[in-house]
Amino acid sequence: MAAQQNDVDMLRHLYNMALTRGKAYSWLDHLSNQIGGRLSGSVQAEQAIAYTQKELEALGLDRVWLQPVMVPKWVRGAAEFAYIESAPGNTTNVPICALGGSVPTPAGGIKAPVIEVQGLEELQALGREAVEGKIVFFNRPMDPTQINTFRAYAGCVDQRASGAAEAGMLGAVGVIVRSMNLRLDDYPHTGSLRYGDTPEAMRIPAAAISTNGAELLSTTLKLNPDIQFYFRQSCRQYDDVPSYNVIGEIRGSTYPEEILLVGGHLDSWDLGDGSHDDGAGCVQSMEVLRLFMETGYRPRRTLRVVLFMNEENGLRGGRGYAEAAAQKGEKHLFALESDSGGFTPRGFSFDCTDEAFAQIAAWKPLFEPYLIHQFDRGGSGADIGPLKPQGPILAGLRPDTQRYFDYHHAETDTFSAINRRELELGAATMAALVYLVDRYGDALAVSTGGQ
């Protein structure tokens, strides 16, 4: 019973410190407002690396270092432009943005008839005869009936990721994709696409259109199937460039060879400043280590923060980290990622054995005073996913998701959309879970096969 009361007191202390003397909000202010969007390979990404390295060093951690990783360099170029032409000289401008990794249009843009589809299966059913020479308009919306908005996202993101490759193979000249957004607004949302093995000659330009723009285009097509669509974008893919993951750690006092990892991805898209995706996750992860330093709690296991580079358009940082860990024979007992925005925390999802989950779920009553109710089985995070073959417990912080896709990959993802208290509650929640894993990790190590 004394041990349980110690846990209650420690969690209360972590939350109190985060809510009264937290640093996450000021760190994010600098990342967002002084540096801005941090697309892999950009000057801003390198500035973010230097800034977070300096801030971690100032905490007095046992070690801070940069881990080299080669990343893709894609540049958006001049602002994109698009319009619907219902008759010669009768045009209506609509907001678009190039999808990450897209090839450019010709300098003069592309104008062609439009064919609307609801997904990749419908595209394939139509075949080359219906698609060749046209701009394919993917207009399957996110399902508003899904309470878990990430499930709604997963239900339609394939058209953004693979639409250009599939349409290009059928002879289309371009692709326009409805933005992954649950509300109707005028902000297009970018995101990565994959050409895969598509030959260079069949790689066609692809852009996202705002949800209001998509509604207008769809309605106009129904009224007049012979309309034309024009768009122009000047994006460009360059050769890979060197970059870094930023890593800091507190060395474990008893089991230094067992690593507990917290992290987020330091890169972001370039339209906004990446406050929710994923500046929030980075500063929350940094705050976990700061809270332990401030409380004087010395973890029994090594606590490591990793700010991963290139999650958005390549996952090179996450894969490179996992490869290096395997080569060194490092033992990761646990990894926790925050990459779902800086909103009010609701709980965690866990990718682990039944035995490990049963032990972790027993801690749920400790979190309920902070309105953390969700302890679910499920995914964790893209950056820590490559560690799975090595056997650790993987976890993801799960904030309230209802507003996340208003901002995700759009110019609206800015510091003004961050609530300080929500951000700090998320950091404290992460620190509380890490504390419990560190304290009771002996039993967890057995349930994960000693990894």
Side-chain angles (χ1 to χ4, degrees):
M1 187 66 184
Q4 184 181 14
Q5 187 59 48
N6 288 341
D7 295 337
V8 170
D9 293 343
M10 183 61 176
L11 265 62
R12 180 72 264 177
H13 192 33
L14 290 169
Y15 275 93
N16 287 350
M17 288 193 62
L19 292 169
T20 58
R21 300 197 300 278
K23 285 271 290 181
Y25 191 74
S26 61
W27 281 331
L28 186 57
D29 185 3
H30 186 97
L31 271 180
S32 301
N33 293 322
Q34 301 303 314
I35 296 175
R38 305 169 297 280
L39 192 58
S40 292
S42 68
V43 171
Q44 291 84 358
E46 300 313 300
Q47 290 173 337
I49 290 166
Y51 172 69
T52 51
Q53 180 187 17
K54 176 176 68 72
E55 291 301 313
L56 288 175
E57 289 171 344
L59 296 181
L61 305 180
D62 293 320
R63 187 183 175 204
V64 177
W65 72 100
L66 301 181
Q67 182 180 59
V69 58
M70 295 297 293
V71 300
K73 182 179 177 66
W74 179 83
V75 175
R76 183 172 301 279
E80 301 88 343
F81 178 71
Y83 61 74
I84 301 166
E85 183 178 85
S86 54
N90 188 358
T91 63
T92 303
N93 294 352
V94 287
I96 68 160
C97 66
L99 293 179
S102 176
V103 297
T105 62
I110 289 174
K111 184 162 71 171
V114 181
I115 183 166
E116 179 178 347
V117 297
Q118 293 299 303
L120 299 175
E121 290 183 3
E122 184 179 347
L123 175 72
Q124 292 299 329
L126 287 171
R128 176 174 285 273
E129 185 175 345
V131 172
E132 190 169 20
K134 293 186 173 68
I135 292 172
V136 175
F137 169 39
F138 289 96
N139 192 34
R140 184 168 79 256
M142 292 176 67
D143 181 359
T145 67
Q146 291 282 356
I147 302 305
N148 182 332
T149 61
F150 278 87
R151 290 179 185 161
Y153 177 72
C156 61
V157 73
D158 61 341
Q159 59 192 344
R160 188 199 75 200
S162 304
E166 299 284 345
M169 295 294 285
L170 293 175
V173 297
V175 158
I176 298 295
V177 182
R178 183 189 184 98
S179 286
M180 307 292 109
N181 183 5
L182 279 160
R183 71 179 181 183
L184 292 175
D185 62 26
D186 295 317
Y187 300 102
H189 294 230
T190 192
S192 61
L193 60 76
R194 298 187 299 268
Y195 288 116
D197 297 329
T198 306
E200 293 283 346
M202 295 182 180
R203 296 189 176 191
I204 58 175
I209 186 171
S210 71
T211 47
N212 276 339
E215 292 290 296
L216 177 62
L217 178 56
S218 182
T219 300
T220 306
L221 271 171
K222 289 178 175 64
L223 294 172
N224 180 7
D226 297 325
I227 64 168
Q228 302 258 315
F229 191 87
Y230 170 88
F231 74 109
R232 182 182 70 236
Q233 56 191 43
S234 58
C235 44
R236 182 176 172 185
Q237 186 76 51
Y238 293 85
D239 292 337
D240 291 355
V241 298
S243 190
Y244 302 92
N245 294 329
V246 184
I247 307 175
E249 70 179 25
I250 303 171
R251 185 83 168 157
S253 61
T254 309
Y255 305 109
E257 73 284 357
E258 293 184 1
I259 298 168
L260 312 181
L261 184 154
V262 290
H265 64 86
L266 193 52
D267 64 304
S268 75
W269 286 108
D270 55 324
L271 298 179
D273 58 45
S275 286
H276 277 296
D277 187 19
D278 184 30
C282 288
V283 298
Q284 286 173 331
S285 299
M286 294 166 65
E287 179 74 346
V288 171
L289 273 69
R290 192 196 72 83
L291 288 172
F292 282 2
M293 296 289 288
E294 283 283 310
T295 59
Y297 176 79
R298 186 75 185 185
R300 302 171 70 203
R301 293 162 173 86
T302 293
L303 176 54
R304 182 178 292 177
V305 59
V306 184
L307 310 182
F308 296 95
M309 183 53 64
N310 184 232
E311 186 271 349
E312 293 292 6
N313 59 336
L315 205 65
R316 303 282 185 84
R319 290 176 178 150
Y321 179 85
E323 289 169 6
Q327 290 168 2
K328 297 174 188 174
E330 291 183 332
K331 291 184 178 181
H332 285 76
L333 175 64
F334 174 81
L336 169 62
E337 184 165 354
S338 172
D339 186 17
S340 300
F343 301 101
T344 302
R346 299 297 186 203
F348 304 95
S349 60
F350 297 92
D351 184 356
C352 61
T353 65
D354 292 342
E355 294 80 4
F357 182 71
Q359 296 197 48
I360 292 169
W363 303 334
K364 187 176 175 182
L366 291 167
F367 288 86
E368 289 177 346
Y370 307 98
L371 304 182
I372 306 300
H373 299 106
Q374 296 175 227
F375 277 54
D376 299 322
R377 303 293 293 276
S380 53
D383 292 295
I384 60 175
L387 288 169
K388 185 171 182 176
Q390 299 171 37
I393 297 166
L394 302 180
L397 178 68
R398 294 292 171 249
D400 187 287
T401 69
Q402 301 311 312
R403 290 174 288 149
Y404 182 64
F405 289 96
D406 296 353
Y407 307 105
H408 181 252
H409 295 180
E411 67 175 88
T412 50
D413 185 6
T414 62
F415 187 69
S416 62
I418 295 290
N419 177 279
R420 179 172 191 158
R421 185 173 178 83
E422 291 178 327
L423 182 73
E424 291 165 343
L425 283 168
T429 299
M430 292 172 68
L433 180 62
V434 171
Y435 160 76
L436 291 167
V437 172
D438 180 60
R439 182 161 187 185
Y440 300 106
D442 293 353
L444 291 173
V446 171
S447 65
T448 58
Q451 292 297 313

